Amino acid sequence: MRHPLVMGNWKLNGNKQMTAGLIDGLRKALSGVDGCDVAIAPPVIYLDQAKHALSGSHISLGAQNVDINLSGAFTGDISAEMLKDIGAKYIIIGHSERRTYHKESDEFITKKFAVLKEAGLIPVLCIGETESENEAGKTEEVCARQIDAVLNALGADAFKDAVIAYEPIWAIGTGKSATPAQAQAIHQFIRQHIAKKDAAIAEQVIIQYGGSVNDKNAAELFTQPDIDGALVGGASLKADAFAVIVNAAAAAKKAC
Ligand code: PGA
């Protein structure tokens, strides 16, 4: 039975005060939650502060990016070993904002996936189509290509204990979430696509939905059998809204 994972992607938001206040609010709001894994990914400069603030709670630490190199002359980069050293567990890679603004390719993202697995960290691989690809009926083709980059280079085994976040780009930060039925259809497609290589790996891989998930629409999304939690941007910056989403994932799990 898969455990849902609700993860907050803070993106380029926050400061020391906000990190302290938000984590304090989350600890209070989430103290009794059971049946859903929870993680937050603050900006890298606040990871150490966040790790201390989370100590003794069930909330895991995540990060928003990693470099493909482990050490050396790579100015400005952060390695998988450094993220591990600081106590991060889940690392977002392939987010559409990095694919777009930093021109990250499927091949480059696959290298990130490999260094994370090597370090014993959990990749949260973001995939998803643009609005025009969606309108052109290319959603499955795009998702298959993005998954195949990892499957073909690293094998299906790489997805053991890994996380995929299906995030249609047209839904990110727009307030226009995919409908539960739309998301379910693609999540099922992704799982079946991996199952063609390895059914057991496909069955256990966590597939989160991301894109305008909020306290109003989360519960219905989580009723879908192939939606295993969410990657949450905007709503993860408010402790109350994020707690509603986590509780909805835990409740949906109990109901099935
Ligand atoms: P959003 O962002 O929840 O603000 O749409 C999700 C994401 O980019 O991970």
Side-chain angles (χ1 to χ4, degrees), residues 1 10 13 18 22 89 118 124 141 145 156 206 215 232:
M1 183 75 111
W10 291 14
N13 294 294
M18 177 270 209
L22 184 47
K89 178 174 177 188
E118 190 66 30
V124 178
E141 186 188 317
R145 191 200 74 221
I206 299 293
D215 48 350
V232 184

Side-chain angles (χ1 to χ4, degrees), residues 7 9 11 92 95-97 126 167 171-175 210-214 231-236:
M7 180 160 173
N9 174 11
K11 307 193 181 185
I92 299 169
H95 193 283
S96 64
E97 287 149 18
C126 299
E167 300 205 303
I172 296 176
T174 58
S212 295
V213 176
N214 58 39
L231 185 56
V232 184
S236 75

Side-chain angles (χ1 to χ4, degrees), residues 65-219:
N65 187 28
V66 66
D67 188 45
I68 60 171
N69 298 292
L70 288 186
S71 66
F74 303 101
T75 303
D77 283 326
I78 304 287
S79 75
E81 291 297 338
M82 290 171 183
L83 294 175
K84 191 173 165 183
D85 191 29
I86 211 118
K89 178 174 177 188
Y90 298 98
I91 318 296
I92 299 169
I93 54 172
H95 193 283
S96 64
E97 287 149 18
R98 293 208 63 87
R99 291 181 190 261
T100 304
Y101 306 140
H102 299 272
K103 311 267 180 295
E104 293 193 5
S105 66
D106 289 333
E107 292 67 33
F108 187 60
I109 293 159
T110 298
K111 287 185 183 162
K112 293 186 174 196
F113 199 112
V115 293
L116 291 175
K117 293 295 286 189
E118 190 66 30
L121 296 170
I122 300 179
V124 178
L125 173 69
C126 299
I127 63 170
E129 81 287 2
T130 63
E131 184 145 48
S132 60
E133 287 165 340
N134 182 278
E135 282 164 2
K138 293 191 169 156
T139 299
E140 292 186 356
E141 186 188 317
V142 171
C143 290
R145 191 200 74 221
Q146 292 171 334
I147 293 283
D148 283 345
V150 175
L151 269 183
N152 294 337
L154 308 177
D157 258 4
F159 284 101
K160 184 167 181 341
D161 299 328
V163 179
I164 295 168
Y166 168 59
E167 300 205 303
I169 297 170
W170 47 269
I172 296 176
T174 58
K176 193 174 100 183
S177 165
T179 65
Q182 275 174 324
Q184 167 58 24
I186 303 304
H187 282 228
Q188 189 178 33
F189 167 79
I190 294 164
R191 204 177 297 286
Q192 286 173 350
H193 189 72
I194 297 171
K196 284 187 233 154
K197 298 263 186 203
D198 191 318
I201 292 286
E203 190 52 35
Q204 58 80 56
V205 72
I206 299 293
I207 309 180
Q208 299 177 305
Y209 169 77
S212 295
V213 176
N214 58 39
D215 48 350
K216 312 271 182 315
N217 61 18

